[in-house]
Structures are given as C-alpha cells and as structure tokens.
Amino acid sequence: MTTTNTPDTTTGRAAGGARKGRRRADADGTLPADVPQTVEAPVGACAVMGVLVRVAGAVPIRLDMSHVGTHEMQLGLSLGTILIYLRTAITAHAIADGWANAALLARGLPMSAVGKRPMPVGPSTVGAMARMAGVPRVVTGWQDAVAGTTRPALLRIQAGPVTWEVCDTAAYRSMLRGWRQAAQMLDAGATLDTEDADGGE
C-alpha cells in the first residue's frame, strides 16, 4: 500500500502569506477571510490658523498690482517673506490705521536691532501667503523684555491671520509705509475703475 502525502496548498499559501505579509486575492480582487486585511490609514488634514512673524530692521516692501481699473483688480503686497493679497482699499486702510494707532507703543522700541542682515523680497522668498478682505480687526500689544534671556521688548500687531512681532522702529516704520502705499495704490485703481464706468468723464 502506497501512501502519498499531498499538502493542502491553499492552506499553506494562506498561512505563509499571513507570516510573510503576502496577500492572496480571489478572482474578483478581494482578499479571503483567512488572509489578514489591510486597514487603510485615515486621510489626514491640516489647516494653518495663523502665522507669527518676527521682524527687525527695515522690512523690504514690494507691491504688484494686476488688472488695474477692472473689477478683478488685485494687489500683491510683499512684506518681507509674507505675501498679502488685497482687493479693496478699505482693507488696506483699516490695517494701515491699526498700525498707525500703535505709534505710541512703537516709541518704546529701539531704533534698530544690530546684527540683522537685510532680507530679500519677491515671489521666491515667500514663506506664507494670506488673502485679506473686508475690514480686518487689528490688535496691538506690548511685551516687555524677559530678564536673563535674549528675548527683547516687542510690539505685537495682529491683522487677520498674521501676527507680527516688531523688534525696532525701523521695522515698524517700513511696515506702516507698506500698508499706506498699498492703500494709495488701491484707491488709485478704484478711481480708474470708476472713470471707466462713467465713460471717462
């Protein structure tokens, strides 16, 4: 009498697949019950709620206007590494006024911080981008220097999702000048739009 041992190839493959992490799919592409199923990781999400920027020295300003005199007019205001998109002058005026209202606090800042290199400015240096509209609330506050540390006294100004920590008056003045220039350019663009609508009269 001859005995032939024939292993259960199905069970063997399933067991081996479970040990080695292999998966045996059925004809319809699904995995059988004896093969460990893969649990897909949930899709993640990320939302940036705000940006904190510390500035010292003269902050380079760049203004790029597009579609002047039309309803699609937009201004790109680069303040160092932050790019702000604005559509109306009222937004820029609101923020410029908020910065101007902090002038009394800014008097407590040093004239300029030493050892700071000038920052480049332009699309290639953008670290964060924000779009502002309406009349954003501008919140200002003063932070004293921390004794025993290198943390200086700071003027903190928050406009929309961006909070600036201003270290000296050079930074404060250059930022204020940038917001005022943005408001002036948007005012001029809105005037052109109105003249075109009135037929140039």
Side-chain angles (χ1 to χ4, degrees):
M1 181 175 178
T2 306
T3 303
T4 304
N5 292 329
T6 304
D8 185 349
T9 55
T10 302
T11 306
R13 282 198 301 270
R19 286 193 302 270
K20 297 181 181 179
R22 297 176 183 169
R23 295 174 180 84
R24 174 174 51 82
D26 289 338
D28 62 354
T30 61
L31 295 174
D34 60 342
V35 176
Q37 306 294 309
T38 302
V39 178
E40 297 293 337
V43 178
C46 178
V48 177
M49 305 305 294
V51 179
L52 178 65
V53 186
R54 184 173 294 182
V55 290
V59 178
I61 307 298
R62 174 172 169 163
L63 299 99
D64 297 291
M65 182 80 86
S66 60
H67 307 293
V68 180
T70 70
H71 294 295
E72 291 78 29
M73 181 178 65
Q74 179 172 265
L75 174 66
L77 171 62
S78 297
L79 302 164
T81 59
I82 305 299
L83 174 59
I84 308 290
Y85 282 115
L86 303 162
R87 298 293 298 272
T88 62
I90 189 173
T91 305
H93 277 297
I95 300 176
D97 290 344
W99 277 75
N101 292 337
L104 186 60
L105 291 175
R107 293 179 182 175
L109 295 171
M111 287 299 295
S112 62
V114 297
K116 300 292 182 181
R117 293 180 298 174
M119 294 186 298
V121 64
S124 62
T125 62
V126 171
M129 181 176 63
R131 191 178 301 276
M132 295 189 188
V135 184
R137 183 179 176 213
V138 180
V139 180
T140 62
W142 179 265
Q143 288 189 343
D144 290 321
V146 179
T149 69
T150 58
R151 183 182 180 90
L154 297 170
L155 170 60
R156 177 172 283 195
I157 302 179
Q158 179 181 358
V162 185
T163 301
W164 283 273
E165 289 186 341
V166 185
C167 297
D168 54 33
T169 56
Y172 171 78
R173 289 174 180 172
S174 59
M175 295 280 290
L176 175 59
R177 183 167 54 251
W179 285 113
R180 285 176 170 170
Q181 289 175 351
Q184 292 170 1
M185 288 186 67
L186 288 166
D187 276 332
T191 302
L192 290 174
D193 189 13
T194 303
E195 289 177 353
D196 291 342
D198 295 338
E201 297 179 0

